[in-house]
């Protein structure tokens, strides 16, 4: 629709022209106007998306996979695949059913009957391969009280987690007085973990939504306006959940993709909607513009900042795709998909809702609220205070951030131990029984696959290695592959760092045909892959983040400073993470058992997420500063004006994010707690110290230089402005 046509038509009430003379909407403004002129089409498309994709959303927890935590191309994955193909499914993903007697030998009397029932149940499951009975000296303990039946993996790792979920309850129900049945193994670990994680996520959602609503009501001062961000976010989440179910039919998607997407998209979607709603109210109720012009103006300013912020988030998370692990790629992909839907809803559905509701968004407002207030006097006064004493405030915030970041120097990472599971989880009970009955390293039994001709040499290496407590005789392959499988029990717990040294030694000393695997070794290989990928991911995120800011702001210095400032809050968050998770400070309050390290995926995955959020606030603040600088050319107006106009939004959005993340930190297994605390601390520091103190101080100290750009760069970059009217 042309501007001329738009200006002749009337607003929703028909009382005022759409645009004031001289106002020409930009590209996003024209999108906003188009949306308001095609309300039925836009509404119809979103209804189809939400209803169509939403129909699949309830299946998300059942359909998405639970495993995929592996290093593609690693030796351990190759060993697992050979073990599954050639040795009756006797691989790391096999299910171990631990039967324990508290009254005499487990292979006699009631124990023998329970063992027979377990065997019948396992043999009736088509996804189970060979069922291997307990063997004296191998899978029957020396005192005869504990036996292990091995259910071979007849399907891939993702399906075996589903098998574990389907069977564990029935298997535990076979327990009788004096006889306890507990399935365990890596497939059970992921099944129990996903179950505990889902319960925690739902509990956290029940807490976070009311808290979020309360903060939004205080921020907006009106119940209807406060509800809009939640409705928009919910629409995006429902659509993304259904999409993940459909994508899972083509490519396995980790259940974590939905769990993290739910947490991340909720926080981010509220941010975006908050920014647009505040700007619309300022234009409509504050400046007295028509509803359609208010939509166009909102889209050209806040909408542009939201679009650039969303692009920054997507770029940051896309760097995680560089990690060659299915779980990480699907988690990053799931979050990116939810961000795309939330972004689409914010830029198409929200302008339409604002236009249709118009003054009704201020319904049920608090008595002290000024609905048209866009420039906050309190944040303007705060900007003046920073302008007068930039060094004092800047140095103070810098000292706090560096002090919190200092502990990062001693940060240790490892793959999660059994401690991430609740103490009453089947996998953990079975794990503890195996450890008590067969030795410290028994739950982390190594699987070594080799050519039959190398079996004797491999046995000799295993028997002489100080890290191996014992090795079983070689098992010849069931097919004609000419392979042999030797299972060896380490001397240490699977989460002990010493196991890594043992595996490295064995890989150096064993014959060249030998492949060392097992669930614990797959974890070690994934950690190595994560450690190798982290520098690359961090580098790519920083470079792409800087380039996007440079394109948006057309100013090299402030783009660089904005990027580097994000590193401070990230480092401080990981410094706090070391104190909490590695050293155990606050573990009683948060309800977890310290592992003595941070989970290995945290540096690469959480860094990308923290940086994405940090750049979100950076774009909001600097876009507002750029808008003011384009209008006045005055560095003080840019700094003080940006705080006056976006400070309240950043403060409210930061409070919402902190509330959302910390509610996830208070319940459930350890990894969601890690994410909740690390991201919650990062947002707390980034929104309140970096964006509302340090970055404005940088604008003050750099002055006009912050916005300077060489002529050659301006010719290369696309022209992007944030001013309007």
């Amino acid at each position: 629709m042309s501007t001329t046509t738009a200006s002749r038509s009337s607003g929703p009430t028909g009382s005022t022209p759409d645009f004031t003379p001289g106002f020409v909407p930009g590209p996003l403004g024209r999108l906003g106007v188009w949306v308001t002129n095609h309300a039925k089409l836009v509404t119809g498309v979103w209804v189809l998306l939400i209803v169509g994709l939403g129909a699949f959303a309830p299946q998300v927890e059942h359909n998405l996979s639970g495993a995929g935590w592996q290093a593609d191309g690693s030796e351990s994955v190759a060993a697992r695949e050979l073990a599954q193909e050639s040795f009756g499914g006797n691989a790391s993903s096999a299910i171990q059913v631990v039967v324990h007697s508290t009254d005499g030998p487990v292979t006699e009397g009631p124990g023998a009957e329970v063992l027979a029932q377990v065997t019948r149940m396992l043999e009736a499951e088509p996804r189970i391969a060979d069922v291997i009975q307990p063997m004296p000296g191998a899978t029957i303990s020396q005192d005869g009280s504990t036996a292990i039946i091995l259910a071979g993996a007849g399907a891939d790792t993702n399906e075996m987690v589903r098998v574990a979920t389907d069977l564990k309850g029935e298997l535990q129900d076979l327990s009788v007085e004096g006889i306890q049945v507990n399935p365990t193994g890596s497939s059970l670990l992921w099944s129990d973990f996903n179950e505990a994680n889902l319960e925690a996520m739902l509990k956290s959602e029940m807490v976070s939504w009311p808290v979020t609503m309360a903060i939004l009501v205080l921020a907006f001062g009106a119940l209807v306006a406060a509800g809009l961000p939640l409705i928009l976010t919910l629409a995006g989440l429902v659509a993304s959940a259904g999409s993940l179910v459909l994508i899972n039919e083509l490519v396995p998607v980790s259940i974590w993709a939905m769990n993290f997407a739910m947490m991340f998209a909720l926080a981010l979607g509220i941010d975006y909607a908050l920014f647009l709603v505040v700007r619309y109210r300022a234009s409509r109720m504050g400046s007295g513009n028509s509803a359609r012009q208010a939509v166009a103006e909102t889209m050209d300013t806040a909408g542009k900042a939201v679009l650039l912020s969303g692009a920054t988030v997507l770029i940051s998370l896309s760097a995680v795709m560089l990690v060659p692990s299915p779980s990480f790629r699907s988690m990053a992909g799931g979050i990116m998909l939810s961000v795309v839907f939330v972004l689409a809803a914010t830029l198409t559905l929200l302008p339409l809702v604002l236009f249709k509701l118009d003054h009704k968004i201020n319904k049920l407002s608090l008595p002290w609220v000024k609905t048209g207030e866009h420039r906050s006097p309190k944040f303007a006064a705060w900007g003046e205070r920073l302008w007068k004493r930039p060094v004092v405030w800047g140095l103070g915030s810098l000292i706090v951030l560096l002090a919190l970041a200092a502990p990062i120097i001693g940060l240790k990472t490892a793959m999660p131990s059994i401690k991430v599971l609740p103490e009453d989880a089947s996998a953990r009970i079975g794990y503890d029984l195996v450890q008590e009955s067969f030795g410290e390293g028994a739950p982390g039994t190594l699987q070594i696959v080799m050519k039959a001709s190398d079996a004797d040499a491999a046995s000799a290496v295993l028997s002489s290695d100080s890290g191996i407590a014992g090795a079983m005789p070689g098992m010849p392959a069931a097919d004609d592959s000419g392979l042999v499988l030797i299972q060896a029990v380490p001397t240490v717990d699977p989460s002990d760092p010493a196991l890594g040294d043992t595996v490295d030694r064995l890989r150096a000393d064993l014959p060249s045909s030998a492949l060392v695997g097992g669930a614990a070794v797959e974890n070690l290989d994934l950690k190595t892959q994560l450690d190798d990928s982290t520098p690359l991911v961090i580098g790519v995120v920083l470079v792409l983040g800087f380039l996007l800011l440079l394109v948006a702001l057309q100013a090299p210095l402030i783009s660089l400073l904005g990027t580097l400032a994000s590193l401070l809050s990230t480092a401080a968050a990981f410094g706090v993470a070391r104190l909490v998770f590695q050293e155990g400070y606050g573990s009683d309050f948060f309800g977890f058992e310290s592992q003595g390290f941070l989970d290995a995926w945290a540096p690469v995955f959480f860094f990308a997420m923290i940086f994405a959020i940090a750049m979100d606030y950076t774009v909001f603040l600097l876009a507002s500063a750029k808008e003011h600088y384009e209008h006045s050319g005055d560095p003080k107006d840019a700094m003080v004006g940006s705080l006056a106009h976006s400070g309240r939004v950043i403060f409210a959005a930061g409070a919402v994010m902190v509330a959302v993340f910390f509610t996830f930190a208070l319940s459930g297994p350890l990894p969601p707690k890690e994410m909740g605390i690390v991201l919650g601390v990062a947002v707390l520091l980034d929104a309140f110290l970096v964006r509302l103190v340090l970055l404005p101080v940088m604008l003050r100290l750099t002055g006009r230089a912050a916005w300077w750009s060489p002529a050659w760069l301006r010719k290369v970059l696309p022209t992007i402005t944030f001013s309007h009217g």
Side-chain angles (χ1 to χ4, degrees), residues 319 322-323 328 413 526-541 574 600-605 607:
L322 295 171
V323 180
F328 284 87
T413 62
L526 180 55
K527 181 186 182 306
T528 300
Q529 191 180 76
L530 289 170
D531 291 344
D532 292 343
S533 301
T534 297
L536 175 63
V537 171
I538 290 174
V540 169
V541 167
F574 279 109
W601 59 67
V604 62
F605 194 57
F607 174 84

Side-chain angles (χ1 to χ4, degrees), residues 77-88 449-450 479 483 515:
V77 170
R80 184 188 70 212
E81 290 171 349
L82 288 174
Q84 184 174 332
E85 292 168 8
S86 302
F87 298 92
V449 181
M450 72 219 73
D479 53 22
L483 298 174
L515 298 175

Side-chain angles (χ1 to χ4, degrees), residues 411-427:
L411 183 67
K412 297 176 185 174
T413 62
M415 290 303 289
S417 68
I418 196 70
K419 292 180 181 179
V420 301
L421 289 181
E423 291 183 357
D424 60 349
S426 172

Side-chain angles (χ1 to χ4, degrees), residues 374-385:
H374 179 42
R375 183 182 175 89
S376 167
K378 290 182 179 179
F379 278 99
W382 173 244
E384 293 285 354
R385 192 174 293 118

